């Protein structure tokens, strides 16, 4: 159209990754730029500014590897309050922070489907107990970053 500037730049690798993800028909992970407020089970709201995603697996790109192989990235898991538990290396679990900054994607999970026999009167309490036990177990193990 006349008078409208055309963008002739090459798209960034991240934009290409986003386009490929949109074409993928498998698991749909939520985008961190929602149209409005979101809650999980109507209890704890997702808070994008504070990086809080209750009962979810969170993901972030691992540049430049993600640019070359889009499925490579870094993951963490959150408790029922949305605090990220990030397994960053041997014996190391960091809470409320991820290795490479903020989460870029999240996949909400249903805490009522926890099959572990742990104490707790609500699904969220059992979820938190499982996260705590997993973190304690990981802090006792020497693991390779590729296998953790």
């Amino acid at each position: 159209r006349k008078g409208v500037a055309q963008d002739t730049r090459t798209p960034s690798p991240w934009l290409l990754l986003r386009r490929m993800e949109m074409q993928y028909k498998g698991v749909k992970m939520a985008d961190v730029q929602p149209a409005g407020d979101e809650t999980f089970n109507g209890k704890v709201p997702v808070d994008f500014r504070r990086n809080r995603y209750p009962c979810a697996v969170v993901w972030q790109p691992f540049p430049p590897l993600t640019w070359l192989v889009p499925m490579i990235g870094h993951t963490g898991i959150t408790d029922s309050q949305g605090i990220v538990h990030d397994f960053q290396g041997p014996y190391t679990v960091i809470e409320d922070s991820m290795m490479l900054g903020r989460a870029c994607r999240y996949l909400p999970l249903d805490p009522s489907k926890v099959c572990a026999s742990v104490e707790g009167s609500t699904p969220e309490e059992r979820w938190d107990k499982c996260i705590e036990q997993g973190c304690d177990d990981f802090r006792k193990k020497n693991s390779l970053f590729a296998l953790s």
Side-chain angles (χ1 to χ4, degrees), residues 79-143:
D79 60 20
S80 65
Q81 297 303 308
I83 297 172
V84 176
H85 297 261
D86 189 19
F87 305 92
Q88 293 188 2
Y91 312 108
T92 307
V93 179
I94 305 296
E95 293 181 13
D96 204 22
S97 175
M98 291 189 76
M99 181 170 58
L100 302 169
R102 302 172 62 80
C104 293
R105 302 268 188 265
Y106 73 99
L107 177 65
L109 303 173
D110 187 356
S112 67
K113 295 187 179 181
V114 171
C115 296
S117 56
V118 294
E119 296 177 11
S121 59
T122 66
E124 289 78 14
E125 287 178 14
R126 289 192 293 277
W127 177 273
D128 289 344
K129 200 66 154 165
C130 289
I131 297 292
E132 181 182 326
Q133 287 177 358
C135 290
D136 290 343
D137 187 41
F138 191 85
R139 286 183 181 109
K140 297 174 188 171
K141 292 184 178 180
N142 183 7
S143 63

Side-chain angles (χ1 to χ4, degrees), residues 3-148:
V4 176
Q6 296 292 324
D7 188 2
T8 58
R9 295 177 292 174
T10 304
S12 71
W14 183 250
L15 181 60
L16 293 173
L17 172 64
R18 179 73 176 120
R19 286 179 184 163
M20 288 181 354
E21 179 190 34
M22 290 171 66
Q23 293 173 355
Y24 181 69
K25 301 295 183 197
V27 175
K28 294 179 182 171
M29 300 183 84
D31 192 30
V32 294
Q33 301 298 331
D37 293 335
E38 296 182 17
T39 60
F40 181 74
N41 283 343
K43 296 184 180 182
V44 178
V46 172
D47 187 346
F48 301 99
R49 291 194 172 116
R50 292 179 44 212
N51 205 33
R52 296 276 195 266
Y53 310 92
C55 301
V57 173
V58 291
W59 181 88
Q60 61 186 179
F62 201 88
L65 294 175
T66 305
W67 300 339
L68 301 171
V69 184
M71 70 276 303
I72 293 179
H74 183 70
T75 60
I77 192 163
T78 64
D79 60 20
S80 65
Q81 297 303 308
I83 297 172
V84 176
H85 297 261
D86 189 19
F87 305 92
Q88 293 188 2
Y91 312 108
T92 307
V93 179
I94 305 296
E95 293 181 13
D96 204 22
S97 175
M98 291 189 76
M99 181 170 58
L100 302 169
R102 302 172 62 80
C104 293
R105 302 268 188 265
Y106 73 99
L107 177 65
L109 303 173
D110 187 356
S112 67
K113 295 187 179 181
V114 171
C115 296
S117 56
V118 294
E119 296 177 11
S121 59
T122 66
E124 289 78 14
E125 287 178 14
R126 289 192 293 277
W127 177 273
D128 289 344
K129 200 66 154 165
C130 289
I131 297 292
E132 181 182 326
Q133 287 177 358
C135 290
D136 290 343
D137 187 41
F138 191 85
R139 286 183 181 109
K140 297 174 188 171
K141 292 184 178 180
N142 183 7
S143 63
L144 297 172
F145 73 93
L147 302 175
S148 58

